[in-house]
Amino acid sequence: MLDAVYYADLGLSSIYDKVLTGRRLSYDDGLELFNCPDITAVGALAFHVRCRLHADAAFYVVNRQINYTNICVSTCVFCAFHRSAASDAGAFTLSREEILARLRKADQSPLRLDELHIVGGCHPELPLAWFEDLLRTVLDLNPQLSVKAFTPVEIAHFANIEGVSSLEILKRLKTAGLVMMPGGGAEIFDETLRPQICPHKADAKTWLRISGEAHSLGIKTNCTMLFGHLENFAQRVDHLCRLREQQDKSGGFTCFIPLPFLTENSALKLPDDKLGPQRGLDQLRTVAVSRLMLDNIPHIKAYWIMLGPKLAQTALWYGADDLDGTIIEEHIGHMAGAASSRGLTIQNLEAMIRSSGFRAVRRNAVFDCLGPYNAEAQP
Ligand code: V47
């Protein structure tokens, strides 16, 4: 499939050579890949890299998401999840007891969770002590759980509320048991566009700085990009390059998740040329270009909640190596109109992976393999 003449005909000889010899792609290479009309050729290069890293493995995690509140001071234009005040229709804040009850219900034989993914809005009042207490209680219930919680945006918010540095917040949460942070809130870094879609959110520099601080403490984190809204290809490539640069410095990004913008219930309205069935191919292409550009981030996630299970399976052939997990309950995507189911079973996930031609590998939040898997090559 990787025929040099074919890539030469597409004008991609230099990119082809770099990918096959494991050399870094440039910003311009990223743009060329986004503009190449032959998406299968782009996907085949990404598939080559994905197999070099993970062979035929495709990862999944037995997890549960907890969205503790949707009350949020950030009020991002694109977000259908947030509410401004407790009195708004659909606003919720879970009590500690409600969270524990959900965890207890999920975390029972035969399921046994390996990851708890906790994320919420930037609530105006909840103090850091509430979150420290939550982490400790959760880990008392199941000390084996790997807890992935709080995006860099939430950390910046906790620091504002407490009047201390983000590093101090991270240290306290680490002491309370935090091992991993999800990658949300990165959205799109570009300084002209970010203020249009999330004017009150932590800015790009803050998001990257806090990720680096987490890495310096040994807390692994993920990273994301929200795409398919107002951004252009150049802004996507810029976003990927900034993540790659941060990773060169701090090294703790484990997985990148390209998040396709879901439009339903969003106040952000798109022009007609940004809507329609062509979005599926754009999503696959974005997975592929991400795999090719992010040469220092080990995993690319095809998040089935946002992509839908069919496209997530296909994305395994376009550079992705992970499907996220059982999830059980999710609000951010579903309030934005995600048509996917609320959760999947282990059997669903394994069948999705096997029927796509890959070997299913169960993992925890930090991508430790929980089974007989030995990748020959990991970056
Ligand atoms: O930061 C919000 C995005 C993110 C919409 O780290 C939307 O393993 C699409 O980051 N359409 C939160 N996306 C979800 C997230 C995540 C999910 C799963 C796994 C991990 C991980 C991280 O969802 C937000 C924002 O970028 N989002 N609204 C929307 N309408």
Side-chain angles (χ1 to χ4, degrees):
M1 190 190 273
L2 289 177
D3 174 9
V5 176
Y6 192 80
Y7 283 89
D9 286 347
L10 288 169
L12 295 181
S13 280
S14 156
I15 293 178
Y16 172 89
D17 284 345
K18 286 183 188 175
V19 170
L20 263 67
T21 53
R23 279 178 295 140
R24 177 159 284 192
L25 299 184
S26 67
Y27 171 91
D28 288 341
D29 293 335
L31 266 187
E32 261 194 77
L33 289 166
F34 269 118
N35 284 311
C36 171
D38 187 337
I39 182 182
T40 308
V42 177
L45 289 175
F47 184 70
H48 177 78
V49 173
R50 175 242 189 274
C51 292
R52 193 162 66 204
L53 294 169
H54 307 294
D56 62 345
F59 299 87
Y60 73 93
V61 60
V62 180
N63 66 350
R64 194 201 198 288
Q65 284 199 18
I66 302 269
N67 298 131
Y68 55 89
T69 186
N70 63 349
I71 299 174
C72 186
V73 298
S74 294
T75 60
C76 300
V77 183
F78 63 82
C79 177
F81 168 71
H82 79 271
R83 296 292 181 273
S84 299
S87 53
D88 290 354
F92 68 85
T93 302
L94 300 181
S95 67
R96 196 184 73 151
E97 287 63 38
E98 284 170 314
I99 295 175
L100 293 179
R102 283 171 203 216
L103 172 57
R104 267 195 214 98
K105 190 165 171 222
D107 191 26
Q108 54 192 335
S109 189
L111 193 56
R112 294 304 296 178
L113 295 179
D114 296 315
E115 172 190 282
L116 184 64
H117 177 164
I118 307 176
V119 73
C122 294
H123 191 282
E125 277 140 32
L126 291 176
L128 186 68
W130 190 87
F131 296 100
E132 292 176 293
D133 182 51
L134 179 64
L135 289 179
R136 291 204 170 95
T137 329
V138 154
L139 288 164
D140 276 350
L141 266 185
N142 179 355
Q144 306 303 319
L145 259 186
S146 44
V147 181
K148 178 176 81 177
F150 316 126
T151 66
V153 169
E154 287 162 279
I155 302 294
H157 175 68
F158 299 157
N160 283 340
I161 286 205
E162 300 289 332
V164 299
S165 70
S166 47
L167 190 62
E168 179 60 26
I169 299 288
L170 288 165
K171 283 181 184 162
R172 281 175 58 182
L173 291 172
K174 184 179 179 192
T175 306
L178 183 69
V179 294
M180 176 80 184
M181 285 164 51
E187 320 310 0
I188 199 85
F189 290 145
D190 181 86
E191 274 79 12
T192 56
L193 193 49
R194 194 173 178 86
Q196 292 177 49
I197 64 162
C198 49
H200 309 297
K201 193 166 234 166
D203 63 15
K205 281 199 178 114
T206 307
W207 192 96
L208 289 164
R209 189 201 75 231
I210 293 176
S211 298
E213 287 172 354
H215 302 167
S216 74
L217 298 175
I219 302 170
K220 299 279 187 196
T221 76
N222 288 340
C223 49
T224 56
M225 172 174 73
L226 183 69
F227 71 98
H229 45 90
L230 303 180
E231 88 293 349
N232 56 34
F233 290 153
Q235 288 160 332
R236 289 187 198 177
V237 177
D238 167 68
H239 188 96
L240 296 174
C241 288
R242 291 203 218 185
L243 289 173
R244 189 170 73 178
E245 203 178 303
Q246 180 61 47
Q247 180 75 337
D248 280 342
K249 291 186 211 149
S250 55
F253 289 130
T254 300
C255 181
F256 172 73
I257 308 119
L259 294 166
F261 173 51
L262 305 178
T263 53
E264 208 175 306
N265 307 324
S266 172
L268 180 61
K269 298 298 171 211
L270 296 185
D272 284 349
D273 66 329
K274 294 259 187 181
L275 297 166
Q278 79 280 8
R279 300 185 95 205
L281 285 185
D282 182 50
Q283 290 166 15
L284 288 178
R285 178 195 293 280
T286 306
V287 169
V289 179
S290 306
R291 177 61 288 164
L292 290 165
M293 292 300 289
L294 298 175
D295 54 20
N296 52 3
I297 299 185
H299 298 281
I300 305 287
K301 180 178 299 187
Y303 185 39
W304 64 263
I305 291 271
M306 305 286 196
L307 289 173
K310 291 179 190 165
L311 209 58
Q313 275 183 297
T314 316
L316 295 175
W317 286 92
Y318 280 77
D321 60 273
D322 184 68
L323 288 184
D324 202 277
T326 45
I327 307 269
I328 300 181
E329 185 181 359
E330 194 277 344
H331 292 280
I332 299 175
H334 284 98
M335 285 172 91
S340 47
S341 57
R342 296 265 153 195
L344 291 174
T345 63
I346 297 175
Q347 290 73 16
N348 293 152
L349 284 160
E350 293 210 345
M352 275 169 72
I353 291 171
R354 290 208 190 99
S355 64
S356 308
F358 296 89
R359 187 163 44 93
V361 180
R362 183 168 164 173
R363 63 160 176 91
N364 64 10
V366 290
F367 280 80
D368 294 330
C369 298
L370 309 172
Y373 170 71
N374 280 312
E376 286 181 7
Q378 293 260 0

